[in-house]
Amino acid sequence: MYLSDVKNGAIATVKHIDSGCEMYRRILELGIFPGTRLKILQNVPEGPVIFEKNGSKMILGRGMAQKIRVE
Amino acid sequence: MASKHITMALAGNPNAGKTTIFNQLTGARQKVGNWAGVTVEKKEGVREHKGIQFTVVDLPGIYSLTAYSMEEVVSRDFILKEHPDVVVAVLDASNLERNLYLACQLIELNIRLVFAMNMVDMAKDKGLLIDYEQLARLLGVPIVQTVGTKGIGIEELLDKVREVVEGADSVSRHIHINYGPEIEEEIQTIKGVLKGKTPEFAARYYPRWSAIKLLENDPLVIKELASCPKGDMVLKQAEASRTHIKELFEDEADVIITEARYGFISGALKETVKLSAVAKRDMSYEIDRVLTNRLLGLPILLFFMYLLFQSTFILGEYPQSWIEAGVAFIADVMGHVLPDGLAKEMIIDGVISGVGGVVVFLPNIVILFMGISLLEDTGYMARAAFLMDRVMHLLGLHGKSFIPFVMGFGCNVSAIMAARTLESRRDRILTILLNPLMSCSARLPVYVLVAGTFFPKHAGNIIFGIYLLGVGIAVLMGRIFSKTIFRGEATPFVMELPPYRMPTFKGLIIHAWDKAKAYLQKMGGVVLVFSVIIWFLGAFPKDVPLSMDYEAAKATLEERLAQSGLSEEDSRAVKEEIANIEQKEAAERLQASYIGRIGQAIEPVIRPLGFDWKLGVSLLTGFVAKEVVVSTMGVLYQAKANEEEDLSGLQAALKKSGMTPVTALAFMAFVLIYVPCMVTIVTIWRETGSLGWAGFAISYLIVLAWIVAFGIQKIGGGIYGFVGG
């Protein structure tokens, strides 16, 4: 399952990030890497995802969310 | 050794409160935004503290010290090349993990560091119990607790900075983050080659840092090293090391290193942070549930925007009428006090008509800017970016570009600079090229004047419509550009969503005052100068051939007026005739003046749009600053409304000039789209680094403006003619 498929309010654990180097590092720098637990706050169909990690909220575009495999 | 002067640089994540700390340190009155990367410019300030002069440099907000974005490069270059005495990293205590990531990279630079642990009150509210002393010992960097918004810890911060510079701090020591035996081995190897082959480079930057950056495949370090003699040998070793690590871990070295840094951080946090059970519930969740709601979010955003523009117009009206009265009063006094002559003409027809015509819009502009900063300071802007993501995809961009767009309604110059927060060059240039279509506040006076004259009952709606027209055209052009010149996908959208904050009243007032001051300075500078120039061009040459002897005609009439026995009705008719003749004369003189000649030269181009040469000249001068459009109109239409220099005089003059409501619409649309002001052009040039893009922006906007205005004239003229006739 990908982050883009997670329902509002659910908690997901990042498994793998299927993306190119530069973006991967960017995501890592924001503190998201395999094993990170995220709480999905808003998942807009065809739009971006808002999630929470350790009390801070972030927006991730759909393109990116479709590349983060979660459980 | 006690130094009398200390340079300190402020670094930190966006939203860590860096700008607030900077303001507290230097007392600089500047804006605190709430969305990622508000401080795109390098700002400096000074502070005296206990006999020491501190120069404080505010670096842009960054998450990391790679060469990923312009802000990162700017910050890194400053730290590495300008060698500030101390770097103060402002860290958000309520969001430590990610903030410490940047801190770790600063530690790796082996520079003098102080951590300003900011928002310690918010961390406490969140239920975080942090052992700052222990954390400082683990990191080898002294920590000062601060609450930027309340000015807590600022003096202590300066004391600590001084101690660190003087080497008197007991906590400071350089620590190495351990990347594990395999990576450490490669670091050692690269370091060895670096020191052996390029000693000069090894002296310039801390070799361990250079080695880590080479493993991370950092383009800037590689580029700089490549220009060193024997640099290629180091690069070859780095390449070999990266390949070796990839074989070992089946992952890129930079990924392993990033993970190791986070590993180090989580280790440090485990030892120093406890979560207390009493965490205050964050209101942000409830607010976000409504404001970012799938169904409600966008209508609410639209409503806020509508409210912003309506209140700009409606609330602004009251103070506007006071200023109007003031200007009229000054003109009246000057008319009586000054001796007749050129100087009087210049002051009344040039300065007061020009500057006075524009200064009345001060309230509108202040309200607009206050509204925009309210959106930013509360944190709503980031939500707007989220909501607008899908819409922005229509333009081939993503939600983050929405922020420069909204700022464009205030001023395109700062908006174009804000586009620096966008990661890719493609997104940045596209956002910059479309930005002038966001109607800036300097264009507002034109709309307020023209719409107020021709659509007095619906001015607010008409103006909102003009803004929407700009947005609509931006969407259209964005689509066209992203399908032609800027093919390819928008870069991924990643952005932090800051918690909602209550904007302070004081902050808003300071901000409004700043904008008012800037506006008044513009009035005293550019607008004043151009009003005088326009007046001069309109008043000279004095001895032009006239079609009839106006003086004689006037004299005959005045003689008749002086005769006794004229009935009241007759004398009024004569007076009217004198006024008529005066007007005719003035109009003829203006037409023969320098500016009349310029206007007539460009008239063929704008004739199809229904604009007369006076409008043409106003547009021409608007290139300097959009406020000048109105001041030019004030000076030019003056000829027909000599008695009343105030705005209603200008409104009356515009109505009498034969301008139709359709032409008024076409004119507003033209002002909306055609060339942005000079400063914006220069900013486009600077930000894109190319004169070509600036030239492109000018030409596509002029052509577009002409086409749209022509369309309005044709379609509107048809409807108007049909309805009216």
Side-chain angles (χ1 to χ4, degrees):
Chain A
M1 182 162 71
Y2 287 91
L3 186 61
S4 52
D5 308 322
V6 183
K7 287 200 180 69
N8 287 353
I11 289 174
T13 307
V14 178
K15 281 285 130 190
H16 189 262
I17 300 167
D18 318 338
S19 84
C21 289
E22 196 169 293
M23 211 50 221
Y24 186 30
R25 189 167 64 197
R26 185 73 180 158
I27 299 255
L28 290 182
E29 278 166 10
L30 290 169
I32 299 160
F33 40 90
T36 310
R37 283 162 66 82
L38 310 169
K39 183 176 182 192
I40 283 63
L41 299 175
Q42 278 277 357
N43 186 352
V44 181
E46 308 301 313
V49 178
I50 299 182
F51 61 85
E52 186 200 325
K53 191 208 142 213
N54 288 345
S56 73
K57 288 185 234 174
M58 261 178 265
I59 307 173
L60 207 58
R62 186 130 209 108
M64 243 5 267
Q66 281 166 340
K67 286 184 185 139
I68 299 182
R69 259 190 269 160
V70 295
E71 220 161 54
Chain B
M1 193 198 78
S3 52
K4 283 270 168 257
H5 182 259
I6 293 175
T7 307
M8 56 193 266
L10 289 184
N13 280 187
N15 291 313
K18 212 162 46 63
T19 311
T20 329
I21 298 268
F22 178 69
N23 283 349
Q24 292 286 359
L25 278 169
T26 63
R29 297 280 180 239
Q30 98 211 47
K31 212 161 90 75
V32 189
N34 209 355
W35 45 275
V38 67
T39 358
V40 281
E41 272 178 306
K42 178 180 137 188
K43 291 187 198 117
E44 279 194 35
V46 284
R47 162 89 174 229
E48 268 290 312
H49 179 69
K50 296 186 183 163
I52 294 179
Q53 179 94 359
F54 289 84
T55 301
V56 189
V57 178
D58 191 18
L59 299 175
I62 49 174
Y63 290 111
S64 168
L65 277 183
T66 49
Y68 187 79
S69 72
M70 262 163 96
E71 281 99 341
E72 294 178 358
V73 176
V74 167
S75 299
R76 200 168 93 175
D77 276 358
F78 184 81
I79 296 171
L80 288 174
K81 301 196 170 135
E82 312 279 324
H83 304 287
D85 296 316
V86 179
V87 173
V88 173
V90 180
L91 307 176
D92 174 359
S94 66
N95 206 344
L96 257 188
E97 191 185 39
R98 213 196 41 237
N99 278 263
L100 282 179
Y101 185 76
L102 177 68
C104 281
Q105 291 187 304
L106 289 168
I107 290 172
E108 274 170 356
L109 284 172
N110 190 25
I111 47 173
R112 278 189 290 227
L113 276 172
V114 174
F115 290 159
M117 196 58 81
N118 198 24
M119 306 194 204
V120 284
D121 54 339
M122 274 178 78
K124 217 183 229 167
D125 286 348
K126 262 181 152 179
L128 296 169
L129 300 174
I130 306 169
D131 184 347
Y132 295 110
E133 270 175 46
Q134 174 71 0
L135 187 61
R137 270 195 296 276
L138 279 172
L139 299 173
V141 179
I143 291 177
V144 179
Q145 299 179 40
T146 59
V147 180
T149 46
K150 291 174 190 150
I152 297 173
I154 300 299
E155 304 263 315
E156 291 84 344
L157 183 62
L158 288 169
D159 288 339
K160 191 51 87 183
V161 165
R162 178 191 183 165
E163 267 179 45
V164 168
V165 170
E166 289 170 356
D169 179 71
S170 55
V171 175
S172 295
R173 70 190 166 100
H174 180 57
I175 61 152
H176 282 186
I177 292 158
N178 196 309
Y179 291 106
E182 295 87 355
I183 297 212
E184 285 298 330
E185 200 186 306
E186 298 305 326
I187 292 176
Q188 288 309 326
T189 315
I190 297 176
K191 228 171 84 180
V193 180
L194 190 82
K195 279 180 176 166
K197 301 292 176 195
T198 54
E200 185 238 359
F201 195 87
R204 204 182 308 163
Y205 307 122
Y206 186 54
R208 181 180 162 87
W209 177 77
S210 304
I212 293 169
K213 283 290 139 184
L214 286 170
L215 279 180
E216 286 183 308
N217 211 0
D218 186 283
L220 290 185
V221 173
I222 289 174
K223 203 176 142 202
E224 204 173 330
L225 196 54
S227 62
C228 291
K230 292 194 196 161
D232 53 328
M233 297 172 84
V234 186
L235 291 178
K236 217 173 269 169
Q237 175 57 47
E239 180 81 56
S241 298
R242 276 200 301 272
T243 320
H244 179 64
I245 289 170
K246 199 173 177 184
E247 278 163 7
L248 273 175
F249 292 94
E250 291 183 343
D251 226 332
E252 298 291 342
D254 59 338
V255 170
I256 313 278
I257 290 175
T258 307
E259 286 181 356
R261 280 192 198 119
Y262 267 109
F264 170 79
I265 292 165
S266 68
L269 290 180
K270 228 170 246 163
E271 284 183 48
T272 52
V273 180
K274 284 192 189 67
L275 205 62
S276 88
V278 281
K280 269 193 202 163
R281 183 124 177 86
D282 186 2
M283 275 296 287
S284 287
Y285 288 92
E286 272 64 46
I287 303 174
D288 266 341
R289 202 164 285 171
V290 180
L291 292 186
T292 63
N293 185 282
R294 254 176 73 189
L295 299 172
L296 294 174
L298 269 179
I300 293 175
L301 173 66
L302 266 181
F303 173 72
F304 280 154
M305 292 289 144
Y306 184 75
L307 205 67
L308 177 64
F309 294 117
Q310 279 291 348
S311 55
T312 298
F313 192 71
I314 295 168
L315 288 181
E317 232 168 319
Y318 302 97
Q320 203 181 321
S321 61
W322 308 331
I323 299 178
E324 245 167 61
V327 170
F329 175 74
I330 294 173
D332 196 44
V333 169
M334 288 295 187
H336 286 104
V337 169
L338 290 174
D340 279 344
L342 259 186
K344 178 178 181 176
E345 223 180 282
M346 186 185 88
I347 287 174
I348 292 181
D349 298 346
V351 177
I352 296 180
S353 295
V355 178
V358 189
V359 83
V360 294
F361 300 104
L362 179 66
N364 304 85
I365 280 155
V366 169
I367 293 170
L368 183 65
F369 269 109
M370 271 173 95
I372 291 175
S373 76
L374 200 65
L375 292 180
E376 275 180 33
D377 294 352
T378 50
Y380 183 70
M381 206 67 117
R383 274 76 186 176
F386 166 78
L387 290 167
M388 291 302 285
D389 187 51
R390 264 195 295 176
V391 179
M392 297 308 282
H393 270 106
L394 294 176
L395 285 76
L397 291 166
H398 61 59
K400 220 169 170 179
S401 291
F402 183 65
I403 294 167
F405 280 138
V406 173
M407 289 180 69
F409 291 129
C411 173
N412 294 127
V413 174
S414 47
I416 285 168
M417 293 204 296
R420 286 190 199 167
T421 49
L422 301 170
E423 287 89 0
S424 87
R425 188 168 161 79
R426 172 198 172 274
D427 291 4
R428 209 155 51 225
I429 293 184
L430 188 51
T431 305
I432 289 173
L433 285 181
L434 297 176
N435 204 282
L437 290 167
M438 301 303 117
S439 190
C440 70
S441 61
R443 278 170 264 185
L444 186 62
V446 183
Y447 309 147
V448 177
L449 170 71
V450 177
T453 306
F454 292 94
F455 310 95
K457 291 212 180 80
H458 307 287
N461 287 328
I462 293 276
I463 293 172
F464 190 63
I466 291 286
Y467 279 92
L468 284 185
L469 178 70
V471 174
I473 292 172
V475 171
L476 195 74
M477 293 315 289
R479 287 208 74 114
I480 293 173
F481 286 155
S482 57
K483 291 244 160 73
T484 52
I485 326 173
F486 298 100
R487 254 179 269 171
E489 278 292 292
T491 44
F493 175 31
V494 186
M495 199 177 154
E496 199 187 342
L497 212 53
Y500 285 103
R501 283 173 201 159
M502 197 63 191
T504 59
F505 183 69
K506 195 179 148 203
L508 271 183
I509 294 300
I510 289 172
H511 191 214
W513 169 237
D514 266 359
K515 291 299 167 193
K517 214 168 55 184
Y519 191 72
L520 290 173
Q521 271 164 359
K522 216 170 175 182
M523 295 303 107
V526 166
V527 175
L528 177 71
V529 169
F530 267 78
S531 294
V532 174
I533 292 176
I534 302 292
W535 165 80
F536 174 83
L537 291 176
F540 290 89
K542 282 278 180 205
D543 50 338
V544 289
L546 297 170
S547 62
M548 60 180 276
D549 192 350
Y550 286 105
E551 289 306 313
K554 237 179 2 188
T556 338
L557 285 169
E558 263 160 12
E559 226 166 82
R560 260 180 62 194
L561 197 63
Q563 280 168 9
S564 50
L566 264 179
S567 73
E568 202 156 299
E569 216 167 285
D570 279 346
S571 92
R572 198 178 309 141
V574 174
K575 269 186 191 159
E576 217 163 89
E577 207 167 323
I578 293 178
N580 248 334
I581 285 182
E582 274 177 350
Q583 231 177 59
K584 249 193 205 155
E585 183 188 359
E588 204 171 304
R589 279 185 184 279
L590 195 56
Q591 206 153 8
S593 69
Y594 294 122
I595 205 147
R597 291 177 208 170
I598 297 172
Q600 279 148 30
I602 60 166
E603 201 173 13
V605 185
I606 52 167
R607 195 72 266 178
L609 309 178
F611 305 164
D612 63 10
W613 64 267
K614 289 176 194 168
L615 291 183
V617 171
S618 313
L619 290 171
L620 215 56
T621 54
F623 179 59
V624 179
K626 288 296 157 67
E627 292 93 339
V628 180
V629 173
V630 172
S631 67
T632 306
M633 287 163 91
V635 179
L636 289 184
Y637 285 99
Q638 164 83 45
K640 290 186 176 177
N642 235 340
E643 270 96 65
E644 327 152 63
E645 274 87 10
D646 60 17
L647 186 68
S648 44
L650 183 51
Q651 284 187 328
L654 272 181
K655 265 201 164 147
K656 270 192 266 169
S657 74
M659 201 169 166
T660 65
V662 175
T663 309
L665 280 182
F667 183 70
M668 286 190 282
F670 198 89
V671 170
L672 163 74
I673 305 165
Y674 91 117
V675 265
C677 70
M678 234 160 43
V679 190
T680 307
I681 296 286
V682 172
T683 312
I684 293 178
W685 172 26
R686 265 206 335 243
E687 294 297 307
T688 57
S690 124
L691 262 178
W693 284 124
F696 177 76
I698 299 178
S699 30
Y700 100 79
L701 287 168
I702 290 186
V703 172
L704 195 64
W706 200 93
I707 292 172
V708 172
F710 187 72
I712 291 176
Q713 190 61 248
K714 280 293 148 226
I715 298 166
I719 296 169
Y720 191 67
F722 182 73
V723 174

